[in-house]
Amino acid sequence: MLFTADHDDIRRSLQKFIANEINPRVDEWEKADIFPAHELFKKMGSLGFLGLNKPTVFGGSGLDYSYALMMAEELGAITCGGVPMAIGVQTDMATPALARFGSDEVRREFLSPSISGDYVACIGVSEPGAGSDVASIKTNARSDGDDYVINGGKMWITNGTQADWICLLANTGEGPVHRNKSLICVPMKSKGVTVARKLDKMGMRSSDTAQIFFDNVRVPKRNRIGEEGKGFTYQMIQFQEERLWGAAACLKAHEYIIEQTIEYTRNRQAFGKSILDNQVVHFKLAEMQTEVELLRALIYRAAEQLVAGEDVTRLATMAKLKAGRLGRELTDACLQYWGGMGFTNETPVSRAYRDSRLTSIGGGADEVMLMVLCKMMGTLPGSKGSA
């Protein structure tokens, strides 16, 4: 069994925290287009939520990945997408490689304060010309004695305007594109780091997203995570947790929209009966609930394998793909049943419609997920086993 009584204890604490400290302020943060990351993360860090599966020596709880997955699922109960995504960047996107491959020195400097909530982290992979195509990044970290000198830029960086440090993927050599990159911890206060702008997004409004430039930014090589040239490999491993997190965080969010739609359509009348009484509506909602449970089963299976130390690239990719597709179908169908009210910003379904659209883009677009799966199946042109 994936979850135990210990999981349930933490789950209840997190549910209480979300109900008391986050959801009452979500509307305020959505209107402001930002939430106070340092304030919220410090509260979460003090309660141990930011390092459930991180090493105890650096302030974590030392638990297995199932606890991190449980947290991701519970964060879906937050009534917006932006805040849970920002938390997920801190716990499951910017720090897994650091926790696993970083030196003790670099973990003390960057991981420990991220677990305590004293630091806000962001992950710098995507660029204007290289989103899902990670191998094509151009940001360069040139060797200069004991330092790297970094030049380039990153785009769509969640937490970017508030972050204290960035887990940066940069080219550190001239070799093959899959073996010439390194992950480097870069303090955002470093000379030459510029937050060029805060992006104005369709959804995820309460999460700040930035474009960042690096102009001759000098950082010590000791800030590198693991071995030089292994950055692409580390990031692909890190993507497993990111994609599972993204899928798991959709579960309760999807269920909430189904519940809200049932309540609204039950009370809305048209042609002498409730909207919910139409078979096309209650049948569709039953189908959507079934799809959510199927997605949950896939995610749990992947998590069990990850806890067992297995490579879950295939299942995590499937979960990410399915979560994005389901989010688009579910929110579109539910918004339709809300009618004109669904087209207003004051309803939860319109927010979910905008926020959920990112799942099919961020962390690897649907098309990239399909390419990964086809390559593993041997059906991608040019891959082993294809025609």
Side-chain angles (χ1 to χ4, degrees), residues 44-114:
M44 297 188 74
S46 297
L47 293 170
F49 292 136
L50 300 182
L52 293 179
N53 64 326
K54 298 300 192 295
T56 56
V57 68
F58 300 107
S61 298
L63 303 170
D64 65 42
Y65 178 76
S66 64
Y67 288 85
L69 183 86
M70 175 275 296
M71 177 173 164
E73 183 174 355
E74 286 305 321
L75 290 176
I78 297 174
T79 54
C80 71
V83 175
M85 178 178 67
I87 298 168
V89 167
Q90 183 91 352
T91 59
D92 288 72
M93 302 179 201
T95 52
L98 173 60
R100 184 174 299 163
F101 301 110
S103 67
D104 286 352
E105 182 179 15
V106 77
R107 286 189 288 182
R108 278 192 296 270
E109 184 173 353
F110 294 99
L111 182 62
S112 290
S114 299

Side-chain angles (χ1 to χ4, degrees), residues 155-168:
M155 188 68 162
W156 307 295
I157 306 305
T158 300
N159 299 343
T161 72
Q162 302 185 76
D164 296 286
W165 69 280
I166 183 169
C167 178
L168 183 76

Side-chain angles (χ1 to χ4, degrees), residues 184-242:
I184 307 168
C185 299
V186 180
M188 291 292 287
K189 65 181 179 181
S190 301
K191 182 180 179 180
V193 176
T194 302
V195 177
R197 60 187 175 121
K198 177 171 169 284
L199 303 179
D200 184 10
K201 308 185 301 296
M202 176 180 81
M204 300 292 193
R205 301 294 303 183
S206 51
S207 168
D208 59 302
T209 308
Q211 181 175 19
I212 301 172
F213 293 131
F214 303 89
D215 182 13
N216 288 322
V217 177
R218 184 176 290 272
V219 296
K221 288 181 178 178
R222 68 173 183 273
N223 285 19
R224 187 184 66 238
I225 296 173
E227 298 179 41
E228 187 172 86
K230 289 287 188 69
F232 184 88
T233 299
Y234 295 157
Q235 185 55 42
M236 292 304 106
I237 296 171
Q238 196 160 244
F239 269 146
Q240 291 187 26
E241 293 187 27
E242 175 175 345

Side-chain angles (χ1 to χ4, degrees), residues 1-8 11 66-67 69-70 73 300:
M1 185 170 63
L2 188 60
F3 299 133
T4 66
D6 290 336
H7 291 84
D8 293 338
R11 188 191 301 274
S66 64
Y67 288 85
L69 183 86
M70 175 275 296
E73 183 174 355
Y300 285 8

Side-chain angles (χ1 to χ4, degrees), residues 25-52:
R25 300 182 66 185
V26 162
D27 289 346
E28 167 196 342
W29 295 338
E30 285 282 301
K31 289 177 182 177
D33 289 338
I34 197 168
F35 77 100
H38 283 91
E39 175 191 333
L40 182 63
F41 286 9
K42 184 57 182 176
K43 291 179 180 178
M44 297 188 74
S46 297
L47 293 170
F49 292 136
L50 300 182
L52 293 179

Side-chain angles (χ1 to χ4, degrees), residues 267-297:
N267 295 314
R268 182 184 172 212
Q269 299 283 319
F271 304 105
K273 63 179 179 180
S274 75
I275 298 298
L276 186 61
D277 282 347
N278 290 280
Q279 187 182 79
V280 67
V281 177
H282 55 251
F283 272 18
K284 184 65 173 181
L285 293 173
E287 288 180 5
M288 293 295 95
Q289 186 67 60
T290 302
E291 291 292 325
V292 173
E293 281 302 322
L294 289 169
L295 176 59
R296 178 177 276 114

